[in-house]
Amino acid sequence: MPSFIFVEKISCESQYGTCSQKIEQEVDKAKNFNYKNSKRTAQKILSDEFLVKSYSLKFVFPNGLKINILERKPKF
């Protein structure tokens, strides 16, 4: 079933509200793939991003992906 569902919408939220613009631009690269590939791409992007401490992904019916992240605070 996941190979037939294509992700067209990705929403991203952090503990501060919406995600930073940099993270949203990176996560938008995971659009227009089937669910399995979109999830895999988003996981790779988020795990490589230094500002993201942890994250969770959730499928939103009919063709969306919701990402909740916990951002690191800058120390400067």
Side-chain angles (χ1 to χ4, degrees), residues 7 9-13 19 24 27-28 31 56-58 60 64-68:
V7 175
K9 300 175 187 174
I10 297 179
S11 63
C12 184
E13 294 181 9
C19 293
E24 284 191 10
V27 170
D28 277 346
K31 284 184 182 177
S56 65
L57 301 169
K58 181 180 177 184
V60 178
L65 189 64
K66 183 175 182 175
I67 301 172
N68 291 315

Side-chain angles (χ1 to χ4, degrees), residues 5-12 23-46 57 63-67:
I5 299 171
F6 283 83
V7 175
E8 296 177 8
K9 300 175 187 174
I10 297 179
S11 63
C12 184
I23 293 173
E24 284 191 10
Q25 288 174 349
E26 290 295 318
V27 170
D28 277 346
K29 295 176 184 176
K31 284 184 182 177
N32 300 323
F33 294 114
N34 64 23
Y35 172 70
K36 189 176 179 181
N37 288 337
S38 281
K39 185 177 175 181
R40 187 177 303 141
T41 303
Q43 287 174 332
K44 174 137 178 48
I45 290 168
L46 294 171
L57 301 169
N63 58 358
L65 189 64
K66 183 175 182 175
I67 301 172

